[in-house]
Amino acid sequence: MSTSSQLLGRAAPIVAAAMLFGACGSSSLDNTVSMSKLKDMSRQGQLWVYDAENGIVVALDRLDEARDEYYRVRRQLKLADKRIDAAEKRKNSMGVNVAEAWRDHLRALRKWAVARVRMERLGVLTSRAAVELAKAQVIQREDLLGGKDFNVKEFADQLQNLQERYTKRKKAVRKMRRYARRQESRWRKMRMRYVAQSGDHDSGLWID
């Protein structure tokens, strides 16, 4: 399958993510080069652009994975609410506490999952900027459309800005994930105490 076909096949997930999470970050670039302006580029120039386009495919894969994780966490949250209701009906206060601790973990995980989707959407935009820079560099190297006078710096600055934003967002996402792991550790400790005190191994509170 060609790179262009792969990119077209990924269009639907991008639209769905945009609808789900809103317009977090711009979906367009200020500096772009139409492929029609590169119709006379060499075979080597084509390879430079195609190599950059492969980065978009990788970024779209990461976005797909992030969206799948979000939906998985959302399903688990619905189940967590049912477990709390079940424990409350049994008037099992310890069980309620364990179930609520699990829900707290999932809520932290959902916050991380949403942030991760937004980060990967920015990653797709960053990959697109890398493609536009590759196009601009081909124009300059092969003396197309003004050649040496073509302003490649604007494209390089655009990419650098997006890369810096992505790196910053990635650090924030990692921090959210660490917090979610701490919440999970808290739940596991509470569950162990609950089992030790009640001997209940089959209350519907078991997750894994």
Side-chain angles (χ1 to χ4, degrees):
M1 181 182 294
S2 68
T3 300
S4 298
S5 297
Q6 292 182 59
L7 296 179
L8 287 173
R10 303 294 183 139
I14 289 295
V15 173
M19 292 175 63
L20 178 61
F21 296 101
C24 177
S26 173
S27 60
S28 61
L29 299 169
D30 292 333
N31 300 291
T32 61
V33 178
S34 171
M35 285 300 294
S36 63
K37 297 179 180 179
L38 294 168
K39 55 183 173 54
D40 295 326
M41 67 178 165
S42 67
R43 177 60 179 166
Q44 183 60 51
Q46 292 176 8
L47 291 175
W48 283 330
V49 174
Y50 291 159
D51 284 344
E53 285 181 337
N54 285 333
I56 299 180
V57 175
V58 172
L60 287 169
D61 283 340
R62 289 197 298 262
L63 178 57
D64 284 346
E65 291 173 3
R67 291 178 65 247
D68 288 345
E69 179 67 12
Y70 166 79
Y71 288 121
R72 185 188 70 80
V73 172
R74 191 173 69 171
R75 288 193 298 270
Q76 285 191 314
L77 264 171
K78 292 180 180 179
L79 182 59
D81 288 333
K82 292 180 180 179
R83 286 184 171 128
I84 292 173
D85 291 341
E88 288 175 342
K89 288 179 180 178
R90 292 194 304 271
K91 301 186 184 303
N92 183 347
S93 60
M94 289 177 61
V96 170
N97 290 339
V98 174
E100 287 179 342
W102 176 244
R103 184 180 61 183
D104 290 343
H105 161 60
L106 290 175
R107 285 176 172 172
L109 206 58
R110 179 178 58 186
K111 184 176 180 181
W112 162 77
V114 171
R116 184 185 173 200
V117 169
R118 291 173 174 167
M119 177 188 75
E120 297 304 352
R121 287 185 63 218
L122 180 59
V124 173
L125 188 63
T126 302
S127 297
R128 287 176 51 203
V131 171
E132 298 306 318
L133 174 59
K135 293 178 185 178
Q137 289 171 334
V138 168
I139 287 176
Q140 185 181 67
R141 290 168 181 168
E142 301 191 357
D143 199 19
L144 304 173
L145 298 176
K148 302 303 181 183
D149 296 327
F150 193 81
N151 191 354
V152 175
K153 186 177 184 303
E154 291 181 357
F155 291 84
D157 289 345
Q158 175 177 252
L159 176 59
Q160 182 179 354
N161 176 264
L162 288 168
Q163 287 173 332
E164 290 174 353
R165 286 171 55 194
Y166 182 84
T167 298
K168 183 177 180 181
R169 191 164 295 183
K170 190 172 184 178
K171 290 179 180 179
V173 168
R174 284 176 174 172
K175 183 177 181 180
M176 291 178 188
R177 188 68 181 93
R178 288 194 297 269
Y179 176 73
R181 288 195 179 104
R182 290 197 298 272
Q183 290 295 94
E184 182 182 15
S185 177
R186 172 176 170 268
W187 161 72
R188 290 187 182 279
K189 291 176 181 177
M190 290 181 66
R191 187 181 68 170
M192 289 176 63
R193 288 197 298 269
Y194 170 76
V195 172
Q197 294 179 34
S198 68
D200 182 3
H201 290 267
D202 190 27
S203 65
L205 299 173
W206 296 91
I207 309 301
D208 53 4

